Amino acid sequence: MKHILPILTLTTLAAAASAQAAAASGLNYNRIGLDYNTDTKGYSLAATAVLGSSNFFVGANTSIGGANGASASNGADSVSLGYLFKNVAYGIDATVALGSNEVKTLGLRKDLGNNFEAAASFGRNAAHNNAWSVEAAYNVSKQIQLAVGYSDAQAASGTTNLTVRYNF
């Protein structure tokens, strides 16, 4: 009987601690980026924007030229609509998106602190080919981000990408 008060106090404190809202993610999803593919020597321009105060976002992407037989991808445009799940676990944000080119994508992003962040994604297109990518990024300022990434897809060789982004 004399242990009931400490047990009740600890139980109440544990319940209160677990009920607290998770910290909001410091990641920005309103951004535009220019990507240079070091393997194909091609560029792509991509933008994403969150719709109002919702967790829905819209994205657009276009490719521009490239050597090594990649010129066929010149002007390959797509748009996508997705949903953002903030702070799913361990401070990781998750996104799911469906693109106009029938690509389904799952993305993960985490703020690592000290202006660094990491991202990974997995996608599948209409031909049932899988693609994945990883990226490390450094936020030079609140608006400017530099990133290096690697992506690999079925029926294609892996590529390295250098990206500069502007957050708005």
Side-chain angles (χ1 to χ4, degrees):
M1 219 29 174
K2 61 182 174 179
H3 296 294
I4 289 180
L5 185 57
I7 290 172
L8 239 117
T9 303
L10 287 174
T11 305
T12 304
L13 287 174
S18 67
Q20 287 181 348
S25 165
L27 300 172
N28 189 344
Y29 290 88
N30 295 315
R31 57 196 194 159
I32 185 167
L34 179 64
D35 179 84
Y36 174 70
N37 185 306
T38 61
D39 300 300
T40 65
K41 311 296 187 233
Y43 293 89
S44 65
L45 186 62
T48 59
V50 175
L51 302 175
S53 60
S54 72
N55 283 7
F56 287 98
F57 65 90
V58 64
N61 189 5
T62 187
S63 60
I64 307 160
N68 303 334
S71 60
S73 67
N74 190 21
D77 304 325
S78 67
V79 293
S80 61
L81 181 62
Y83 191 81
L84 166 63
F85 298 92
K86 291 187 179 180
N87 201 15
V88 174
Y90 305 105
I92 298 171
D93 289 356
T95 59
V96 291
L98 180 60
S100 61
N101 49 2
E102 297 184 42
V103 171
K104 300 158 203 75
T105 308
L106 169 65
L108 302 173
R109 231 174 120 197
K110 179 166 176 54
D111 183 350
L112 301 174
N114 295 324
N115 296 326
F116 286 97
E117 67 180 66
S121 68
F122 176 80
R124 188 172 180 96
N125 66 16
H128 302 291
N129 290 329
N130 298 327
W132 60 269
S133 67
V134 293
E135 178 184 90
Y138 178 72
N139 295 304
V140 176
S141 69
K142 194 170 188 170
Q143 284 82 30
I144 305 297
Q145 181 183 71
L146 302 175
V148 61
Y150 181 81
S151 56
D152 197 5
Q154 274 180 277
S157 59
T159 61
T160 304
N161 303 300
L162 304 173
T163 307
V164 61
R165 291 189 186 98
Y166 175 77
N167 297 319
F168 55 93

